[in-house]
Amino acid sequence: MSSSFLLQTSISSSSSAFFANTKINFNSRAQNVSLPAKPVGVCTCVATPQAEKTAFKTQVSRNVNIAKLQAGYLFPEIARRKAAHLQKYPDAQVISLGIGDTTEPIPEVITSAMAKRSHALSTLEGYSGYGAEQGEKPLRAAIASTFYDNLDIEEDDIFVSDGAKCDISRLQVVFGSNVTMAVQDPSYPAYVDSSVIMGQTGEYQKAVEKYGNIEYMRCTPENGFFPDLRTVARTDIIFFCSPNNPTGSAATREQLTQLVQFAKDNGSIIVYDSAYAMYMSDDNPRSIFEIPGAKEVAIETSSFSKYAGFTGVRLGWTVVPKQLLFSDGFPVAKDFNRIVCTCFNGASNISQAGGLACLSSEGLKAMHEVIGFYKENTNIIVETFESLGFKVYGGKNAPYVWVHFPGQSSWDVFSEILEKTHVVTTPGSGFGPGGEGFVRVSAFGHRTNVLEACKRFKQLYK
């Protein structure tokens, strides 16, 4: 064998020029080694996969109650599907009438008050740090006089917060895990999900799409979206929203009187969500405390989110009357105050300045104008679906339109509308099994977008 040979290679196109005609000289010690000749072939490089690393795990067990939750929270799941749709159709003009997020600018009379408060924080005279966890006294007094005038609700019954949704979870902490709860079906998903997280429920029962140990109060067109209380089992807590999200229905005075009496007969506490009360057109109660005896059995939570466009600013309140007592006679308000002081440092002082401006005469006028705009959107959506022959509910007392698609899966309808019109809605089944066969269409949107969406609905269903 020759002391040198030509190395042929086909490793890669980028390296072949480097190795071409390369001579490797095996002199000196290599001469004394006799190697059998082998034909030169193609050298194939195979990467050896690295052994998969095992992630470090702590010895802390996962919260078994959170593990009960099914998939993700409804609205992030809708956002995920919207994002996937945009990846598929990057040039599509997607219109969102799904998540109930406000779209119109906050009135200047309100933002100017927040700007003034914000600027004052840069001065020695205007700076303030931590405030009262329960909220600033002028705002609490303004909420009491504006929304609860002549209802015997005092400013110290009111707890200002960063929104009704946050207060729902704080209330759940007050109630603890050893309570039973009832909820409208369909209803805002935060009620059920927070109950699951707290450990108040059993496992999810896939066959009926319900959690064990929750009383689902079915609300349908046939019962006027108010449950037949004669068929409802006794529970400790009753979540009730009016005007309702998602159905848009509003309970009458007679119906709320029945609800309060039902709670009294059963020794239950009503958590009444009035976040859409200012959208009410009918002569229905805007507060549960308009019903005699309600202060002994009810808590009310509300928000500036859908009135003033504060979905990002974050400001709400909860009313816990002094008359509301636990079975041992201890005031519920004292325990709620303890939770608020432990888990919350109070709403932003800038947000509270905006809230106070909302409740001025100019602010109230401006809020009613914004609400009027969304209600006009609602009318456009209702008229569109009715003209196409659909059964439509809600809209009159809330910014939501509840459209019936009998015999169809809500998620299938959601997907079809998104795929064929590039419009995002909300599947009714996301609000509970009672929402199957319905789709919620939100009136929160710019007018041009609402008109365009309705045009697309007509093209799809004409």
Side-chain angles (χ1 to χ4, degrees), residues 44-182:
T44 304
C45 296
V46 179
T48 303
Q50 287 187 344
E52 191 173 316
K53 289 185 178 180
T54 302
F56 175 79
K57 293 183 290 187
T58 70
Q59 296 183 34
V60 180
S61 299
R62 185 186 180 198
N63 184 331
V64 295
N65 298 310
I66 294 178
K68 294 178 190 175
L69 292 171
Q70 299 300 298
Y73 187 68
L74 173 62
F75 299 113
E77 173 62 20
I78 290 172
R80 186 191 68 78
R81 295 190 184 211
K82 176 184 174 182
H85 183 78
L86 279 168
Q87 274 197 325
K88 184 178 180 182
Y89 302 103
D91 298 325
Q93 183 202 353
V94 175
I95 298 172
S96 182
L97 299 181
I99 298 171
D101 192 4
T102 50
T103 58
E104 302 311 294
I106 298 172
E108 195 274 336
V109 64
I110 299 167
T111 56
S112 62
M114 290 192 286
K116 182 179 179 181
R117 182 66 176 270
S118 177
H119 180 72
L121 293 173
S122 66
T123 68
L124 284 173
E125 299 78 17
Y127 177 77
S128 61
Y130 291 125
E133 291 91 345
Q134 303 81 3
E136 297 176 354
K137 286 181 70 66
L139 178 56
R140 297 170 80 189
I143 291 170
S145 62
T146 302
F147 297 105
Y148 306 102
D149 192 31
N150 298 321
L151 296 180
D152 195 27
I153 295 295
E154 300 174 358
E155 67 180 66
D156 58 353
D157 294 324
I158 294 167
F159 296 79
V160 175
S161 72
D162 50 348
K165 183 179 182 181
C166 305
D167 275 348
I168 287 165
S169 291
R170 292 183 190 114
L171 286 167
Q172 292 282 35
V173 175
V174 171
F175 299 141
S177 59
N178 296 321
V179 295
T180 54
M181 62 89 73

Side-chain angles (χ1 to χ4, degrees), residues 117-448:
R117 182 66 176 270
S118 177
H119 180 72
L121 293 173
S122 66
T123 68
L124 284 173
E125 299 78 17
Y127 177 77
S128 61
Y130 291 125
E133 291 91 345
Q134 303 81 3
E136 297 176 354
K137 286 181 70 66
L139 178 56
R140 297 170 80 189
I143 291 170
S145 62
T146 302
F147 297 105
Y148 306 102
D149 192 31
N150 298 321
L151 296 180
D152 195 27
I153 295 295
E154 300 174 358
E155 67 180 66
D156 58 353
D157 294 324
I158 294 167
F159 296 79
V160 175
S161 72
D162 50 348
K165 183 179 182 181
C166 305
D167 275 348
I168 287 165
S169 291
R170 292 183 190 114
L171 286 167
Q172 292 282 35
V173 175
V174 171
F175 299 141
S177 59
N178 296 321
V179 295
T180 54
M181 62 89 73
V183 65
Q184 290 160 291
D185 179 26
S187 67
Y188 182 46
Y191 312 140
V192 169
D193 284 10
S194 60
S195 294
V196 175
I197 291 169
M198 282 301 301
Q200 298 168 1
T201 75
E203 296 292 336
Y204 183 73
Q205 301 164 4
K206 194 171 181 62
V208 291
E209 299 182 325
K210 295 178 179 180
Y211 287 95
N213 209 35
I214 292 183
E215 183 71 13
Y216 290 80
M217 304 185 295
R218 186 58 67 96
C219 297
T220 66
E222 291 72 30
N223 63 19
F225 296 102
F226 186 82
D228 182 355
L229 296 176
R230 296 169 300 178
T231 66
V232 175
R234 188 258 171 209
T235 61
D236 296 309
I237 311 300
I238 302 168
F239 282 95
F240 198 91
C241 178
S242 181
N244 181 261
N245 176 16
T247 67
S249 61
T252 65
R253 190 171 302 275
E254 179 184 357
Q255 289 171 334
L256 289 181
T257 299
Q258 292 175 24
L259 181 64
V260 168
Q261 189 59 51
F262 179 78
K264 281 199 163 189
D265 292 343
N266 288 285
S268 305
I269 294 176
I270 300 165
V271 177
Y272 189 81
D273 187 342
S274 65
Y276 302 96
M278 285 184 71
Y279 285 81
M280 193 86 72
S281 295
D282 292 338
D283 186 25
N284 295 323
R286 286 156 174 73
S287 168
I288 190 68
F289 300 123
E290 294 182 38
I291 307 303
K295 287 187 287 295
E296 298 172 351
V297 293
I299 293 166
E300 182 165 304
T301 187
S302 196
S303 169
F304 287 96
S305 288
K306 307 303 166 62
Y307 301 163
F310 272 28
T311 50
V313 173
R314 307 307 306 151
L315 192 68
W317 70 91
T318 291
V319 182
V320 189
K322 300 177 188 66
Q323 297 91 327
L324 182 65
L325 307 175
F326 286 116
S327 59
D328 63 356
F330 196 83
V332 175
K334 287 191 175 182
D335 275 358
F336 187 61
N337 184 66
R338 183 68 173 84
I339 294 300
V340 166
C341 291
T342 301
C343 303
F344 186 51
N345 272 332
S348 158
N349 44 24
I350 298 170
S351 299
Q352 292 189 71
L356 195 57
C358 286
L359 303 182
S360 67
S361 57
E362 287 184 14
L364 286 167
K365 181 175 179 290
M367 285 198 299
H368 280 294
E369 288 174 356
V370 173
I371 290 168
F373 173 86
Y374 291 130
K375 288 174 74 68
E376 288 172 3
N377 281 352
T378 306
N379 292 337
I380 293 168
I381 297 167
V382 168
E383 289 168 5
T384 296
F385 280 102
E386 285 183 340
S387 73
L388 294 167
F390 288 93
K391 282 281 189 182
V392 180
Y393 305 93
K396 188 176 182 182
N397 298 304
Y400 301 120
V401 180
W402 193 238
V403 187
H404 196 195
F405 291 81
Q408 297 189 58
S409 156
S410 295
W411 277 109
D412 286 350
V413 175
F414 165 89
S415 297
E416 180 185 44
I417 292 174
L418 181 59
E419 180 71 22
K420 296 181 178 179
T421 70
H422 305 304
V423 176
V424 179
T425 57
T426 306
S429 58
F431 299 97
E436 186 60 274
F438 290 85
V439 163
R440 191 194 77 174
V441 185
S442 168
F444 294 117
H446 301 311
R447 182 62 47 81
T448 53

